[in-house]
Amino acid sequence: MAISQTDRFTANAEAFASIYNNTQSQREELAQYAIQNAAKYMQANKSDEAIKEFKKALAFDSENTTALSYMGKLQLSTGKNSEAIKTFKDLVRLQPLSVDAHVNLGNAYLQDKQYLESEKNLKKAARLDPMNPLPDYTLGIQYLQTDRLAEAKTQFLKVQKIAPKDGNVYFSLGALHNKQGNYEDAAKNLEKALSLKKNFSAANYELGVAYNGLGRADDAKKRLKSLQNTNPHQTNDQ
């Protein structure tokens, strides 16, 4: 029985699809293997080697968002700002509605002091999820760093309503009040921050500044002593 032209075309198409799917599956498996290697390098604090493995993963699977996200963060943590910006722009292209993607790109621009671009991405992230405190908090940090203090305060108070038990926002409000010379308000917020987050070195330091500004020299010295006794390996995120 003769095979029709249509049947022959269908058979060829199915064979090609099978080969393509197998090849694609193999590429994805190789990408995952490279990501696993990158994770091992990250655990060993070998950032450059980890970045190389993430690049291998992306060579096999250019739309692997896991590789892009981790590679961008590593690039940013090692001062490779321009590379991080490029990586996070690719991530935003693939995940245009992702709050984290826009915040990561905003952070990269912020670290590179491209303030207009960072503000644009952080505001975009905030619009995507108004109840997520991270975009507004990060925008407040940008305003604090660039002496837009009234705007920073507005952002931090907004975050305080969303996340009233987050010690970071009280720390930032305290740092802002210190910068303005409002030491009494600074002390109140920093004491609150430390009640929510123990061993918060930055808050201890700022509280010492506030106490010193209030003329409470003995309390300021206690803060300094507390800092000296803090385990340097402990993080402020506990």
Side-chain angles (χ1 to χ4, degrees):
M1 180 179 178
I3 300 175
S4 69
Q5 191 71 19
T6 300
D7 290 340
R8 187 178 293 111
F9 175 80
T10 300
N12 288 338
E14 289 176 349
F16 177 79
S18 178
I19 293 171
Y20 173 80
N21 289 335
N22 288 337
T23 302
Q24 186 67 17
S25 178
Q26 289 173 354
R27 293 178 69 85
E28 290 174 357
E29 288 178 6
L30 288 169
Q32 288 302 316
Y33 179 72
I35 289 173
Q36 290 171 7
N37 285 337
K40 292 176 183 176
Y41 282 126
M42 288 174 65
Q43 289 176 347
N45 294 318
K46 295 182 178 181
S47 298
D48 289 340
E49 289 85 348
I51 288 172
K52 289 178 182 177
E53 289 299 320
F54 283 128
K55 287 181 177 180
K56 286 182 185 178
L58 290 164
F60 292 118
D61 181 5
S62 62
E63 296 188 353
N64 191 301
T65 55
T66 298
L68 285 168
S69 180
Y70 278 101
M71 184 173 78
K73 290 175 183 177
L74 275 177
Q75 289 167 333
L76 198 59
S77 69
T78 53
K80 299 178 175 69
N81 297 343
S82 297
E83 294 179 34
I85 289 169
K86 182 180 180 300
T87 298
F88 287 133
K89 284 174 75 173
D90 287 339
L91 189 61
V92 166
R93 176 179 54 80
L94 294 170
Q95 298 180 323
L97 300 181
S98 167
V99 172
D100 288 343
H102 283 283
V103 169
N104 285 332
L105 181 55
N107 269 325
Y109 278 125
L110 178 57
Q111 187 160 307
D112 204 48
K113 298 183 179 181
Q114 295 190 45
Y115 298 123
L116 288 176
E117 291 297 327
S118 61
E119 186 174 13
K120 180 174 72 175
N121 278 278
L122 292 169
K123 284 183 174 180
K124 172 70 173 177
R127 288 195 298 271
L128 286 169
D129 185 1
M131 296 308 295
N132 187 326
L134 184 57
D136 284 309
Y137 179 76
T138 309
L139 190 56
I141 294 296
Q142 174 176 328
Y143 292 153
L144 182 61
Q145 290 178 357
T146 54
D147 290 324
R148 295 167 64 177
L149 301 186
E151 292 168 283
K153 184 176 181 179
T154 297
Q155 291 301 123
F156 293 144
L157 291 175
K158 184 177 178 181
V159 174
Q160 188 182 47
K161 290 180 180 179
I162 300 171
K165 294 185 178 180
D166 187 343
N168 290 297
V169 70
Y170 295 97
F171 159 70
S172 296
L173 280 167
L176 184 150
H177 285 303
N178 267 343
K179 207 166 188 179
Q180 294 176 317
N182 300 327
Y183 298 119
E184 187 172 348
D185 288 335
K188 289 178 181 177
N189 279 282
L190 292 161
E191 287 166 355
K192 179 69 172 179
L194 285 164
S195 74
L196 293 168
K197 290 183 66 175
K198 307 299 181 184
N199 302 317
F200 195 165
S201 299
N204 264 315
Y205 171 78
E206 289 290 343
L207 186 55
V209 172
Y211 284 156
N212 189 62
L214 290 169
R216 296 168 57 178
D218 289 342
D219 289 328
K221 288 178 182 177
K222 288 179 183 177
R223 292 297 106 193
L224 177 60
K225 186 176 180 180
S226 176
L227 280 171
Q228 291 172 338
N229 292 334
T230 299
N231 184 341
H233 298 293
Q234 287 180 317
T235 68
N236 291 336
D237 295 324
Q238 293 180 342

